Amino acid sequence: MITPSPDSVHTILGALHVRRLSVGRSGMEPPVVLWHSLFLDSQSWCGLQDTLAQNRTVIVIDGPSHGRSEKFAFDFTFADCVTAVEQVFDALNLTGPVDWVGNAWGGHVGIQLATRRPHRVRTLVTIGTPVHALRAGERWTKAWPLVQLYRVAGPNSLLLKPLSDALVGPESIAAQPDRAAEVMRAFTDADRRAMFHAVRSMMLRRPDMGADMARITAPTLLIAGREDSTGWRPADAQKVADTMRHAQVVAAAGSGHSSPLLIDSLTVERALNDFWSEAGRVAPNPCKPSRA
C-alpha cells in the first residue's frame, strides 16, 4: 500500500507543498524527487509518481507559486530554487543524494542543483527541458508578448491555445482531452500575480545552461519529444549529451514539453527504470571532457 504524506515545507520561496509517497518499507535506493513544468503543477505527472512509488520512495514538489504551494509574488532566481530544494531535503532528513526527475522547468532546477550541489544528486533526468536560453525570436515574438498579455488579461483563449500546444501538445489534447484539461487547469486557476513573477523569473530570464550541462558529474538522462514544437528534439539533446561525462538520450512521443507524460508514459517509465538500473554500474566516459 502506498502511503502519501502531504506536508508544507517553509523555504526562502514561501511554503512549498511536498508529498512523500512510500510503499512502507525502506530500501537501498535513494528517493526519487519530482519537480514539474512551469505553468503546471504535480497533476502533470499523470500518475507517474504512483507508479514509481510502488518500488521507491517518491518526493513530489509543487514549485513556488504553483499548485498548492504558497503564492510567492516576487521575482526569484535559479539559485533561490536550489536553496529552496535543499531546505526541503533538510526538512525531510534527506542526507544522501537523490534521483532527480524534472519536467521542463523542473529539469532546469535539477540542472542547477546538480551543478551547484553535486553531492545532492545521484542521477539527473530531464523531460522536455531545453538547455538554451530563449532565442531572440522566441523572446520578442512569442514569450514576451504572451507574458504581457497574461499580466493584463489573465489566462484568456488567445493565450491558452499556444501555451497548451507548447506544454501538452495538440496530440495529447486530441488523445486525452479530459486529462489534458486537468493538467492545464493548474495554469487557468493560478494566482495571476504570483504566476507572472514566476514566469518572468524562470522563463524570460532563464540563462543558457549548456556550459552547466558539461560540468555535471551525475549520470544524466535527457528525454526529448520527437516533435517538440520549441525545437528541443532528440538530435538537439544528443548534441548536449555528447559534451557530458555520462549522458544518454531517449526519444518519446509528443510535441509539447509535457506530452510524454500524457501520451507516452510507458516509454518514460521504461527509460527511467533502465537508466537507474544502469547508473550504479556504469562509470563516466573518460573520453568525454571534464569541466568540473
Side-chain angles (χ1 to χ4, degrees):
M1 179 179 178
I2 298 174
T3 304
S5 300
D7 202 356
S8 183
V9 176
H10 291 278
T11 75
I12 64 167
L13 299 180
L16 300 187
H17 184 265
V18 178
R19 294 182 71 220
R20 184 172 190 155
L21 305 176
S22 174
V23 292
R25 62 177 185 272
S26 60
M28 298 299 293
E29 295 288 342
V32 177
V33 180
L34 305 181
W35 185 303
H36 56 82
S37 171
L38 198 67
F39 299 106
L40 305 180
D41 64 11
S42 295
Q43 291 292 328
S44 61
W45 293 110
C46 298
L48 177 65
Q49 68 273 38
D50 296 317
T51 300
L52 296 178
Q54 293 174 11
N55 299 298
R56 302 282 297 276
T57 295
V58 179
I59 310 298
V60 188
I61 302 174
D62 277 344
S65 299
H66 289 67
R68 286 184 279 179
S69 289
E70 184 178 349
K71 309 317 170 193
F72 188 81
F74 302 93
D75 287 3
F76 54 95
T77 67
F78 280 101
D80 294 332
C81 290
V82 170
T83 298
V85 168
E86 290 201 284
Q87 290 172 328
V88 170
F89 289 178
D90 291 345
L92 298 180
N93 294 316
L94 301 182
T95 57
V98 305
D99 288 331
W100 183 278
V101 181
N103 177 211
W105 176 32
H108 295 130
V109 175
I111 290 167
Q112 293 304 305
L113 180 67
T115 302
R116 298 165 184 261
R117 301 290 188 271
H119 64 285
R120 292 284 202 176
V121 180
R122 185 188 78 145
T123 65
L124 169 66
V125 178
T126 71
I127 303 172
T129 303
V131 303
H132 57 268
L134 285 177
R135 301 179 179 93
E138 293 177 300
R139 178 181 299 277
W140 300 116
T141 66
K142 295 181 180 179
W144 190 86
L146 290 178
V147 170
Q148 296 306 316
L149 176 62
Y150 174 74
R151 185 181 190 182
V152 173
N156 60 74
S157 58
L158 292 175
L159 178 60
L160 190 58
K161 174 62 166 63
L163 188 59
S164 297
D165 288 348
L167 291 174
V168 301
E171 69 284 346
S172 300
I173 297 171
Q176 298 195 47
D178 292 341
R179 173 160 276 186
E182 179 183 3
V183 169
M184 290 304 301
R185 195 169 295 118
F187 170 66
T188 57
D189 293 349
D191 180 276
R192 189 192 305 181
R193 183 165 174 259
M195 179 64 73
F196 167 75
H197 282 279
V199 172
R200 182 166 69 178
S201 300
M202 297 288 99
M203 184 176 73
L204 293 184
R205 298 174 181 170
R206 187 183 80 223
D208 186 286
M209 298 188 186
D212 293 328
M213 298 295 284
R215 294 170 51 201
I216 291 174
T217 57
T220 301
L221 172 64
L222 310 175
I223 300 177
R226 295 188 188 91
E227 298 84 30
D228 191 294
S229 60
T230 68
W232 180 253
R233 298 185 179 186
D236 305 291
Q238 188 62 56
K239 292 178 182 178
V240 173
D242 289 341
T243 71
M244 302 178 67
R245 293 187 177 191
H246 179 198
Q248 57 185 278
V249 175
V250 167
S255 62
H257 288 329
S258 300
S259 294
L261 298 171
L262 281 85
I263 62 170
D264 204 5
S265 59
L266 290 180
T267 293
V268 174
E269 293 168 19
R270 183 165 52 248
L272 290 174
N273 289 323
D274 290 348
F275 171 66
W276 288 328
S277 295
E278 181 187 2
R281 302 193 304 268
V282 178
N285 186 344
C287 296
K288 291 189 178 182
S290 170
R291 295 179 174 84

